[in-house]
Amino acid sequence: MPQVTVTEHLLLHQKESPMASGRFTRLLNELILAAKIISREVRKAGLVDVLGFTGEINVQGEQVQKLDEYANKVLIHRMERSGVLCAIASEENADLVRIPDQFPKGDYFLIFDPLDGSSNIDANVNVGTIFSIYRTKGECGGDKLCDLLQRGSEQVAAGYFLYGTSTMMVYTTGRGVNGFTLDPSVGEFLLSHPDIKIPETGRVYSVNEAYWNFWDEPTKEIVRYFKGSDNLRGQPYAGRYIGSLVADFHRNLLYGGVFLYPADHRDPKKPKGKLRLLCEASPLSFVCEQAGGMGSDGARDILSIEPEELHQRVPLFIGSKNDVAKVVEIYAKAR
Ligand code: AHG
Ligand code: MN
Ligand code: MN
Ligand code: MN
């Protein structure tokens, strides 16, 4: 396969798209540089002091891993200088990260989960970076939260980097989904998975069954459906759960399957489950829908949800459209 870089692919295949502008290409290239730097540290983890915890607790109430903090700092440092952003939001920062006055600003918003799957870092399991890009609505001064809080369907681009056996970038600008693999010998992400489509019915279900006793009855019925034989496959779906959303999602995107993180009654402070709408559910649902799949909170399309706050959590059912449709059907029947 000829070596097609991200920029070349964007300019070649999206020349009529507003996303082929120099400003968006610049944004993407800065994001790619940040991901290469993070990938380098992830690969050295264990040899450099990036394992373990910083000792802080983040806005999510989670213990911050050194690599969470490292990835967050690299992304903010690179992206605040890109000249194309009006503000940045991160899973690790309670509030919007303002662009310092000495740097030129633009009208894109970038939201990211700098390192997804942090609990797996010290065990050398795949982790990733998830990103989401909007244009400012410009109604509140252009760089305020109310300019950013938009439905997922308003995203201009979204995707993820996966630091796994190889380092991959998978993203969409609303014209399909393409996957690129980092060739470390040249330091470029090269097209390796053109025009990704997720199988309409999967063969994998991904859920943390440790929470069984905290689920409501319809949720238990849904998990029993995938574990049973009275389903679209006529046999149990394979159970796979890595504990890194981006890795579980990527496998299901390629093989077909459904990832489930239902609401549960473990923590009264998190009645909607653990995953975040803006930096996890929305970007992955944009990718999934562009690949022919679905992302739902069990009742609504994730991309239709009007966010009310920056770190809003949401139940997430995402993957093959027939499997997610079954989840929605079982919840609807119970209402
Ligand atoms: P993050 O590391 O960005 O905080 O996200 C962790 C998320 C997600 O990656 C994964 O699917 C989920 O947490 C696992 O949660 P449980 O340990 O509750 O299954
Ligand atoms: Mn976290
Ligand atoms: Mn995450
Ligand atoms: Mn994270």
Side-chain angles (χ1 to χ4, degrees), residues 199-215:
E200 295 199 347
T201 302
R203 52 195 171 98
V204 172
Y205 80 105
S206 309
V207 70
N208 186 339
E209 303 208 28
Y211 307 143
W212 178 270
N213 295 323
F214 300 99
W215 290 336

Side-chain angles (χ1 to χ4, degrees), residues 10 55 61 67 87 96 140 151 169 205 222 242 266 314 335:
L10 180 69
L67 214 49
L96 278 189
C140 323
R151 284 194 311 272
M169 175 187 189
Y205 80 105
I222 286 163
I242 300 170
R266 279 181 300 148
V314 68
R335 268 196 287 275

Side-chain angles (χ1 to χ4, degrees), residues 288-299:
C288 196
E289 294 217 354
Q290 282 292 312
M294 237 178 112
S296 172
D297 70 349

Side-chain angles (χ1 to χ4, degrees), residues 7-28:
T7 309
E8 185 183 340
H9 187 267
L10 180 69
L11 298 177
L12 265 181
H13 292 260
Q14 325 236 349
K15 48 184 171 295
E16 68 286 358
S17 145
M19 306 321 296
S21 72
R23 297 154 51 68
F24 181 74
T25 313
R26 173 151 171 68
L27 196 174
L28 218 49

Side-chain angles (χ1 to χ4, degrees), residues 50 146 269 286 290 306 332:
V50 286
C146 56
K269 291 197 299 294
F286 187 19
Q290 282 292 312
E306 283 290 352

Side-chain angles (χ1 to χ4, degrees), residues 62 91 113-118 128 130 245-246 275-276 279-280:
E62 301 163 340
E91 177 205 323
D113 175 355
L115 208 79
D116 175 70
S118 309
I130 307 172
L245 167 61
V246 66
L275 299 180
R276 281 63 51 146
C279 70
E280 291 170 319

